Each structure stands twice: as structure tokens, then as C-alpha cells.
Amino acid sequence: MRPGTRLRVARLGPADVVRLGGTGLRTRPLRVFLSALGIAIGVAAMIAVVGISGSGQAEVDRRLDALGTNLLRVAPGQSLGGEQARLPFEAVPMIRRVPPVRQVAATGTTSAHVYRNEHIAVGRTGSLDVLAAERNLLPAVGGRVRVGRWLDAATEKYPAVVLGARAAQRLDVYTPGTRLWIGGHWFSLIGVLDPVPLVPELDSSALVGWPAARTYLRFDGHPSLVYVRTQDSQVASVRAVLPATAYPEKPGEVRVSRPSDALAAREATESALTGLLLGLGGVALLVGGVGVGNTMVISVLERRPEIGLRRALGATRGQIRTQFVTESLLLSLVGGLGGTLLGTLITAGYAADRGWPTVVPAWASAAGIGSTLLIGVLAGLYPAVRASRLSPTEALSRAG
């Protein structure tokens, strides 16, 4: 070296910094694995919560698209005397006259109960209702037959019955042709329905034809619920005129609701639960960050000889800080990537088990990895500053 030449500090390139930080991780694989596992669990929890919630919402949207949000439910409310009101006989044909209305179908409540045979105790009803049903009910509410067939022009006049999904499960009856004891008469099972998401009251009901209910079950003919399908663009306007249309004399005794609102409310409830679970995932991620910080502090204490030697060979304090911050970032990044993959697999497995579409928002993955990098910087900053403040002589003297 020529006299008077100033020494220049060698600069570490990005590849050198990453290689140097990775060397520190490779020398302590078990500790690195456990620290990264803490980060991965927190990220996986957050990704899985967001993914499962997103998949559930996608399923709700898919079902609403299939079932439609244009179904309205007309039911009797309370009379001025506090008693249960009744819809008039003419409610269904009057509603059918409204121009935007596409389909109208009704059910009527009977006093009968359904049993597997005549020897079952009268009080053991299993909370199952027997409803009179119009034969156009199933297409109006978007229902489907799982086994057998639905009521038609012939079977609605005779003692034939169709069971809802939950009713069939409670009675343990699924085979068409099975006889059921209803209202003191034998009825023949002709079909079992799939669950009807928009009209869950049908799931726990035994459905008989409207004429058969009047003949065999002393049904009075008053509709208890009327289901109305209307044009998508006219739902609000039809909803406004339905009370006066269904019961012109007493429109205040008519309640109109939209079943799809219940699904939307359930989706909002699940969103609130998602927020709570995200908080728990954030706590787990914070605990993982504390683990990374603890690992880095111990790493600084154990690697004093290395720090002293590097400082003696000319490494600057900034290079020492960069080395340990990079090591902390790499450790957190490994946990973040592993947690993102694990959370995605959990979401996919759960969604596949429930028959849902798998949805993992890109922002959730980006937020998971981004939060781990932030935690890596924060967790590695103090140990890095502490390491950079060690003088070469102090570090080497404590090595022994």
C-alpha cells in the first residue's frame, strides 16, 4: 500500500448480506426451526381464518345466485287484539295479479302430527309440522327432490306425503312407499327433499297436498305462508304493495320478509367472528415475533467471538447491524412463507370437505408475509444494535 493512501471500507452487496445472514441460520437449524414455527403458526391461523371466511362467503354468494334474492315471504302478523291473524282465502290469487310477480305458492298449517306408526305416543311429535302444500311450491322456493318425486295433480288429492330433509332424518324414513301415520290416517311417502336454504321451515315438515289436507286432516284452507317470486328489479316495489294486496282490509296484520336477508345476516355474523379470530391469529403472530427476538438476542450473546473477529478485521457497526437484521428478516420470512402455505392448505382442505369453493384472498397472503417482515425488522433491531456496539477488544475478551 502506498504511503498516504486512505483505507476504504468494503461495501457488502445485497447478495453478500443475504449469504451472511443465511450462514447464521444454517449453523443453528433446530432453534431456527422452532422460531420460524412460531411465526408460521400465527400466519397460518390468520390465512386460514380469512380463507375459510372468504370461502364461506363465496358459498353463500353462490347459493344466493342459484336460489335468487327475489323470493318474498308473506305471513300473518298479530291482530289488534294480540291474537295471531290469518291470511284470507283469496290472498294467493290476489297476489298473483300483481304484474311483476312470477310465481306464487302457499303452505298451510294443520293440527296433525306425523308418526312412524300408530303406536307412537301422541306427544312424541319430534317437533315436526304437517303442512298443506300447493303443488307449485317446490319451484317457487327453489327446492329439489332428493328421493322419489314431488306432489302432482294426482297425488295432491290422495294421502301422499313428502318429507323435508330434517323430518326424514328424525323419522329415519327415506324409502318411497313407506307408510306414515298422520292425523289418524295412513299416508304413503312419495318423496324426500334436499335442504331448502331459503325456506328452512320446510326441512322439518311433512308436506301433503292442499286438497288432501282438507279431506283427511280437517285443514281450514287458510294459507299460513305465501312465497312470492318476483322480477329482480321489482323486489322493493312488490314488497311494498304485498300487505295491502294480500289482506286489503287489514294490511297492518301482514308481515313481508325476504328469506335471503337471513343468509346475509348470517354472513355478517360470520364476518364479526372472523374479526375475533383474526385478533387471536395476530396474538399468535406477536408471540412468534417475541420468539424471533429472543432467538436473535441469544444469537448475539453466543456469537460475540465472531462479532469481535469481524470488527477486528474491519467490519463497521452498520455492517454488523445489517447482518443481524437480515438474519432476523430471513428467519421471519421462512416462517411467513411456511405459514402462508400451511394456511392455504388448511383452507383448501376445509373448503373441500364442506363442498365450498376455495378462496384465499391475495391481500391476506401479502399481509401475512408483510407482517412477518415487519416483525422480523422489529425483532432483530435491538439485537442488531446491541451487536454493533460491541467493540472488538470487548467481544474478544469475553469470548474466553
Side-chain angles (χ1 to χ4, degrees), residues 253-276:
E253 297 183 3
V254 178
R255 295 183 292 109
V256 180
S257 60
R258 187 160 60 169
S260 58
D261 291 343
L263 288 179
R266 187 178 69 182
E267 183 175 346
T269 302
E270 291 177 350
S271 298
L273 179 61
T274 297
L276 174 62

Side-chain angles (χ1 to χ4, degrees), residues 56-325:
Q57 292 176 9
E59 173 65 11
V60 171
D61 294 340
R62 185 186 67 81
R63 289 164 61 185
L64 285 177
D65 289 340
L67 298 172
T69 57
N70 60 344
L71 178 65
L72 296 172
R73 186 175 182 267
V74 181
Q78 298 290 328
S79 65
L80 295 178
E83 301 176 350
Q84 182 69 33
R86 292 201 302 178
L87 295 176
F89 295 107
E90 301 82 8
V92 172
M94 292 178 68
I95 292 174
R96 193 172 282 121
R97 296 174 185 173
V98 178
V101 171
R102 293 178 177 177
Q103 293 175 304
V104 182
T107 61
T109 304
T110 72
S111 59
H113 297 289
V114 56
Y115 304 96
R116 291 194 60 176
N117 56 62
E118 73 273 29
H119 302 297
I120 304 296
V122 175
R124 301 182 62 182
T125 63
S127 300
L128 302 179
D129 298 320
V130 178
L131 302 179
E134 294 185 334
R135 65 173 182 264
N136 60 340
L137 173 66
L138 207 59
V141 300
R144 294 183 303 178
V145 177
R146 179 191 303 176
V147 179
R149 58 181 178 144
W150 175 242
L151 299 165
D152 55 29
T155 56
E156 70 171 356
K157 301 176 183 179
Y158 298 99
V161 60
V162 176
L163 293 179
R166 193 176 302 115
Q169 182 180 13
R170 290 180 183 175
L171 294 171
D172 195 23
V173 175
Y174 299 94
T175 306
T178 304
R179 295 198 308 168
L180 297 172
W181 186 250
I182 303 177
H185 299 274
W186 286 108
F187 278 67
S188 179
L189 178 67
I190 63 172
V192 176
L193 301 181
D194 276 329
V196 186
L198 291 182
V199 192
E201 59 266 22
L202 297 184
D203 295 343
S204 57
S205 301
L207 304 166
V208 301
W210 200 275
R214 304 195 70 166
T215 302
Y216 300 98
L217 305 179
R218 299 187 294 276
F219 174 51
D220 61 9
H222 283 276
S224 57
L225 285 173
V226 181
Y227 303 98
V228 182
R229 285 278 184 185
T230 182
Q231 296 177 11
D232 294 337
S233 60
Q234 300 295 323
V235 172
S237 59
V238 172
R239 187 175 186 174
V241 303
L242 278 179
T245 304
Y247 204 167
E249 293 83 4
K250 299 178 181 179
E253 297 183 3
V254 178
R255 295 183 292 109
V256 180
S257 60
R258 187 160 60 169
S260 58
D261 291 343
L263 288 179
R266 187 178 69 182
E267 183 175 346
T269 302
E270 291 177 350
S271 298
L273 179 61
T274 297
L276 174 62
L277 294 178
L278 275 177
L280 296 177
V283 171
L285 189 58
L286 179 61
V287 172
V290 172
V292 171
N294 181 60
T295 298
M296 297 308 300
V297 169
I298 295 176
S299 179
V300 169
L301 295 176
E302 290 180 347
R303 296 164 64 185
R304 284 175 178 172
E306 174 193 338
I307 296 170
L309 182 60
R310 292 198 65 227
R311 292 282 283 128
L313 292 176
T316 64
R317 289 185 175 183
Q319 291 173 344
I320 297 296
R321 285 195 298 268
T322 302
Q323 172 188 350
F324 281 91
V325 169

Side-chain angles (χ1 to χ4, degrees), residues 319-333:
Q319 291 173 344
I320 297 296
R321 285 195 298 268
T322 302
Q323 172 188 350
F324 281 91
V325 169
T326 302
E327 189 172 324
S328 178
L329 278 172
L330 290 175
L331 178 56
S332 299
L333 182 60

